[in-house]
Amino acid sequence: MNSSSQLSEKPPEGDWLITIAASAGGIPALKALVASLPHDLPAAVVILQHRVPQPTESYLNTILGRAGTLPVLTADEGQTIERGRLYVPRSDLHLTVTPQKRFSYVDGRRIKHLLSSATPLFESAAEVYKTRLLAIVLTGHGSDATDGVQTVKAHGGLVIAQDPVSAEHEGMPQAAIKSGAVDFVLPLDAIGQAVTAIVQGRPLRRGASTN
């Protein structure tokens, strides 16, 4: 378990990557979270929202772009990950992160019935960003991302789960919590503030629930 005193120590060098997974009920939750992130966030953000598979840019880009101040881009094959950007993966392939901190898509079998699962993203990002990775699991059915958060934890990253009480659908955050890999269980309206504090190397405010 991570404590506020640990988070207040100077973090290792390098930019942060924030990976966010959401499914059913995710659009309103993501809008609220994105709106709470500052324009100068010292991190890159990847949002994987389960949706109907399609190879073209999603309406989700527009929705998230209007919700917050971070520029929203589709995560393209081979694209370099840059701080201060919010990336949305394609919905028909699994997104991964390469050792060179670039995006790469992989095709193949469905993972938990999904063509765009959070697990390959979380697992590959954990191997590259290690202690500079923050993984977040929001509302959704099923248990996607549960295997991924365990890899994040094993590599020294931090994991936040939305408090199931505040989630429209508790399946995904509850499964993540049951894995034992979650560091903080927070209501939706507290996650943005916690994210900002963590990547800026500041201690979390009192009242943040730990798992």
Side-chain angles (χ1 to χ4, degrees):
M1 183 185 300
N2 289 276
S3 67
S4 294
S5 61
Q6 288 175 308
L7 290 174
S8 64
E9 296 174 358
K10 183 179 180 181
E13 296 299 322
D15 286 340
W16 280 83
L17 179 65
I18 301 165
T19 54
I20 304 171
S23 187
I27 299 298
L30 289 169
K31 287 172 63 178
L33 176 53
V34 168
S36 69
L37 298 177
H39 69 90
D40 57 350
L41 187 74
V45 182
V46 182
I47 289 181
L48 194 153
Q49 163 68 43
H50 297 161
R51 57 197 193 278
V52 177
Q54 58 182 23
T56 56
E57 182 175 308
S58 170
Y59 67 92
L60 184 59
N61 294 49
T62 301
I63 291 174
L64 297 179
R66 290 173 177 170
T69 57
L70 292 172
V72 179
L73 307 171
T74 297
D76 292 326
E77 175 70 30
Q79 185 174 19
T80 299
I81 301 172
E82 299 180 21
R83 69 187 302 178
R85 303 286 187 272
L86 193 159
Y87 299 96
V88 177
R90 288 174 54 166
S91 57
D92 61 336
L93 296 170
H94 301 301
L95 182 67
T96 64
V97 174
T98 73
Q100 295 75 35
K101 296 186 177 180
R102 296 177 180 271
F103 291 125
S104 182
Y105 286 96
V106 295
D107 201 350
R109 64 181 178 84
R110 291 175 180 264
I111 299 175
K112 297 186 184 297
H113 311 292
L114 300 167
L115 288 176
S116 179
S117 166
T119 292
L121 171 63
F122 282 22
E123 291 181 339
S124 60
E127 294 178 0
V128 176
Y129 284 85
K130 302 185 187 307
T131 60
R132 304 290 281 188
L133 178 65
L134 175 55
I136 302 171
V137 181
L138 300 179
T139 174
H141 290 304
S143 59
D144 187 39
T146 301
D147 294 335
V149 297
Q150 294 177 71
T151 303
V152 172
K153 183 69 171 179
H155 284 77
L158 290 171
V159 181
I160 294 175
Q162 181 179 357
D163 187 340
V165 174
S166 75
E168 185 173 337
H169 299 277
E170 67 177 19
M172 280 175 51
Q174 190 63 62
I177 293 167
K178 288 181 178 179
S179 76
V182 173
D183 296 283
F184 299 97
V185 179
L186 301 171
L188 180 63
D189 60 7
I191 294 177
Q193 187 176 57
V195 167
T196 303
I198 289 169
V199 300
Q200 290 180 345
R202 297 185 286 107
L204 294 184
R205 292 181 58 185
R206 291 185 177 181
S209 299
T210 55
N211 186 49

